[in-house]
Amino acid sequence: MFSIFPTARLRPSPFYNAVVKEGLKTAMVYNRMILPASFGNPEEEYWRLINGVSMWDVGVERQVQLTGVDAAKLAQILSPRDLSKCKVGQGKYVPLCNHKGILINDPILLKLDENKFWFSIADSDILTWAQAIAGEKGLDVQIIEPDVSPLAVQGPKSEGVVASIFGDWVRELKYFWFKETELEGIPVAVQRSGWSKQGGFEIYLMDGSKGTKLWNIVKEAGKPYGIGPGSPGTPERTESGLLSVGGDSDYTTNPFEVRLGKYIDLQVADDVVGIQALRKIASEGPKRHQLGLILEGKIADPLKFSWEDINHMGKKVGDMTNCVWSPRMSANIGYGLLSVNINPGDLVEIERDGTIVKARVVDLPFI
Ligand code: THG
């Protein structure tokens, strides 16, 4: 029996006690926090997300909060996506890049006020990054990690659950739009969002002492809908074509290579970090692109811990960056970061522990 201990360096989320009580069996590390992964029955957890409703402790999605007179200015300097039309109450998916145009994170930006923003980040240290850029530019902005932790409610039945808690106004929320409100004295923000394509919401808890209370309210409201605990799952997110920055990308990957080009606005101001490099990459044309792979064989392969070589006619043409059994496709599927010479319809070979597995290249998403 293996167990993991929450400490100041491996922080538990406010929902930690609640998920342990639910029977948490496996966890991962994300943003130096514990990310619950499974409650012992991954198949059941998968189908609950596809057909019903699932609740997830995604407190690891930390917020980097910008406030002050230069908050909007800094948000734009950090984002190669044009934010000039972003309204208060709106969220936007924003790839963040370094000065070389390399993708370093892919947060959702929430505009809470004209002078208040949250970057709801993926797994890399954007707090320090934002503080460094602001400091170097001499901007008047406060940058903190506030006491804010999302709880996701995902799946086709999620709207019924969230509407029964907050009211029918949640049904009108557009994708990534959100509203701040209160629930039995607990301050929260409710957003239509979440790392699945099965529909859903995230409830951003704004008081870390109320994690168990919020978990139990959602659990109780979800009972008539068959709610149960789950987590952002690799099978569903891979079928749906969602990107995991840091998993499907590394320190050499630019956003155009991993299907994020539509979120890059090349005409933003010259002081946006990375924009000069991104313009150059765009004009030269990216050398790799991300496509789907359907592997031969009908048996779920164990998960691998690193990228695997993809070959075509005896030559390496890319890397398989993730691979997982898809229950709906009855096949192992994965993402390939491939040379632009390789296209949907091509057959490739993947080296897996010394054996060669054939795979067909397809467009993303799979489903
Ligand atoms: N919710 C919140 N914060 C997060 C995540 C989240 N931070 C980390 C991580 N997830 C950020 N990454 C993503 C990646 C994709 C999406 C959301 C967050 C996503 N993409 C849709 C798609 O690709 O089809 C829609 C994007 C669009 O077109 O605007 O939803 O899950 N709070």
Side-chain angles (χ1 to χ4, degrees), residues 30 61 81 93 106-108 120-122 150 175-176 191 194-195 197 202 204 242-243 263:
Y30 194 97
E61 290 162 353
R81 181 171 186 182
Y93 185 39
D106 67 333
I108 298 165
S120 182
I121 62 170
Y175 208 70
F176 289 151
Q191 183 181 38
W195 208 55
K197 288 302 236 183
E202 287 173 303
Y204 292 69
L242 289 171
L243 182 70
Y263 307 113

Side-chain angles (χ1 to χ4, degrees), residues 274-310:
I275 198 63
Q276 323 261 8
L278 289 164
R279 287 178 191 144
K280 188 155 178 281
I281 295 165
S283 74
E284 288 169 357
K287 307 204 168 26
R288 298 183 292 190
H289 55 175
Q290 187 184 47
L291 292 166
L293 300 165
I294 303 176
L295 282 69
E296 261 186 3
K298 286 288 171 200
I299 295 163
D301 264 15
L303 292 171
K304 293 291 188 316
F305 304 111
S306 58
W307 291 10
E308 294 169 287
D309 285 354
I310 302 174

Side-chain angles (χ1 to χ4, degrees), residues 236-284:
E236 191 281 337
R237 79 96 179 168
T238 304
E239 292 169 343
S240 300
L242 289 171
L243 182 70
S244 178
V245 168
D248 309 323
S249 65
D250 69 4
Y251 66 93
T252 69
T253 315
N254 69 61
F256 302 107
E257 294 175 315
V258 286
R259 300 176 295 130
L260 298 186
K262 59 178 181 255
Y263 307 113
I264 306 290
D265 294 310
L266 294 173
Q267 78 286 1
V268 294
D270 289 352
D271 64 353
V272 171
V273 176
I275 198 63
Q276 323 261 8
L278 289 164
R279 287 178 191 144
K280 188 155 178 281
I281 295 165
S283 74
E284 288 169 357

Side-chain angles (χ1 to χ4, degrees), residues 7-22:
T7 67
R9 291 185 197 286
L10 184 56
R11 295 173 296 166
S13 93
F15 310 112
Y16 183 74
N17 290 330
V19 293
V20 167
K21 205 168 158 214
E22 293 289 346

